[in-house]
Amino acid sequence: MKILIFVYIPLIFCLYSTTASAQTREVDKLEAGGLYWTGFYLEWKITEKLQLDAEIENRRFFAVSRQYQTVVRTTLFYFIHENLNIGGGIGYSGLYSIYTPTIQPEIRPHQEINKTHGSGRWKFNHRLRIEERFRGDTVRTYLNQGEVHERNLNSYSFDLRTRYEFATDFALIDKDSEQGHWNIQIAPEIMVNDNFQDFLSTFRFYTGLQYFLSEKIRLELGYLKSVEKEHSFDVLYNYNILRFTFRQRL
């Protein structure tokens, strides 16, 4: 119970803060919509202590159908013991502007720690991840009649982002069988920046259903609510997301 209080109080505060901020902005400063994310996640157990994970995710809008973002990430984990590991890696994000064809590149080295525990059908995971974000600078100009001009600069800006995710898995059917096993997952996540003026970055709440085709392959379908502030241009994004992920273990 103490853990749940510790997790949800800051999440509720974050959601209230972003909603209140949206109410004080002009309507055209609040971007909302529906997206679908399709991803592939690979887990390679190199040794008893080392594991390499690789993932790629493509993110698009439903209507009008267009690209939103492409994310690629690799992480090398070291298992201190079965329920505790640390990891480090690097990622790339290509963020497509919602106004122009401009793509903002971003390089993301990251470090993280994962702690798992559980009882019976329940399993819990705490993930703390720190990202060093090197984002390509862009210049955006708002013209008359809603026209927008945007271009990339030959420079990068840096900021530090900390992410905390609390995930819980509940085994629905055949929890002792890897094949035909169903899981339901709930995972709230909060992200904060190192800049106090733009401290609250993103709030996400995910719920999904996992199905194990075999010991090494599982499919996941879920819904993600994401509220994110783009601090550079003071825009608040409020998205409803359908997420499909194919996961494989080698």
Side-chain angles (χ1 to χ4, degrees), residues 151-185:
R151 64 185 179 88
N152 287 322
L153 302 176
N154 294 322
S155 61
Y156 282 79
S157 296
F158 172 81
D159 61 83
L160 194 69
R161 183 168 69 179
T162 302
R163 306 171 58 163
Y164 172 69
E165 181 188 74
F166 173 71
T168 176
D169 285 35
F170 179 74
L172 293 175
I173 302 174
D174 296 334
K175 82 177 184 66
D176 296 323
S177 171
E178 287 293 343
Q179 186 172 0
H181 178 185
W182 288 88
N183 263 8
I184 187 169
Q185 184 181 79

Side-chain angles (χ1 to χ4, degrees), residues 190-208:
I190 186 171
M191 309 181 198
V192 297
N193 297 316
D194 60 342
N195 185 345
F196 184 76
Q197 293 182 340
D198 293 300
F199 183 68
L200 296 174
S201 168
T202 304
F203 168 76
R204 291 178 179 172
F205 188 88
Y206 175 76
T207 179

Side-chain angles (χ1 to χ4, degrees), residues 16-161:
Y16 172 80
S17 300
T18 52
T19 303
S21 298
Q23 293 173 349
T24 63
R25 294 188 177 93
E26 299 176 6
V27 176
D28 62 354
K29 291 296 183 181
L30 176 63
E31 298 293 339
L35 296 93
Y36 60 97
W37 295 4
T38 54
F40 175 72
Y41 200 104
L42 182 67
E43 303 172 6
W44 179 25
K45 193 73 172 179
I46 302 173
T47 68
E48 183 179 347
K49 291 289 187 179
L50 293 177
Q51 178 173 307
L52 181 65
D53 287 13
E55 58 184 299
I56 180 170
E57 192 165 58
N58 195 54
R59 304 172 179 179
R60 292 185 61 87
F61 286 95
F62 276 109
V64 174
S65 180
R66 58 185 174 85
Q67 189 74 5
Y68 172 65
Q69 188 179 25
T70 301
V71 176
V72 180
R73 183 185 294 112
T74 60
T75 308
L76 181 64
F77 293 99
Y78 174 76
F79 285 78
I80 299 173
H81 55 73
E82 182 180 359
N83 297 322
L84 180 65
N85 65 71
I86 56 176
I90 192 167
Y92 168 80
S93 163
L95 182 64
Y96 291 68
S97 173
I98 63 173
Y99 304 103
T100 70
T102 303
I103 302 174
Q104 181 186 38
E106 180 179 335
I107 307 298
R108 296 181 188 171
H110 66 274
Q111 305 79 41
E112 65 180 77
I113 182 169
N114 291 272
K115 169 65 177 176
T116 62
H117 59 93
S119 176
R121 290 179 176 267
W122 290 99
K123 181 179 179 182
F124 305 95
N125 183 76
H126 305 266
R127 185 187 73 190
L128 182 65
R129 174 182 288 171
I130 297 175
E131 295 176 324
E132 295 81 25
R133 306 179 68 191
F134 297 89
R135 295 189 289 179
D137 296 321
T138 61
V139 173
R140 183 183 300 168
T141 304
Y142 296 90
L143 304 176
N144 293 331
Q145 300 178 347
E147 186 179 358
V148 179
H149 286 177
E150 190 171 12
R151 64 185 179 88
N152 287 322
L153 302 176
N154 294 322
S155 61
Y156 282 79
S157 296
F158 172 81
D159 61 83
L160 194 69
R161 183 168 69 179

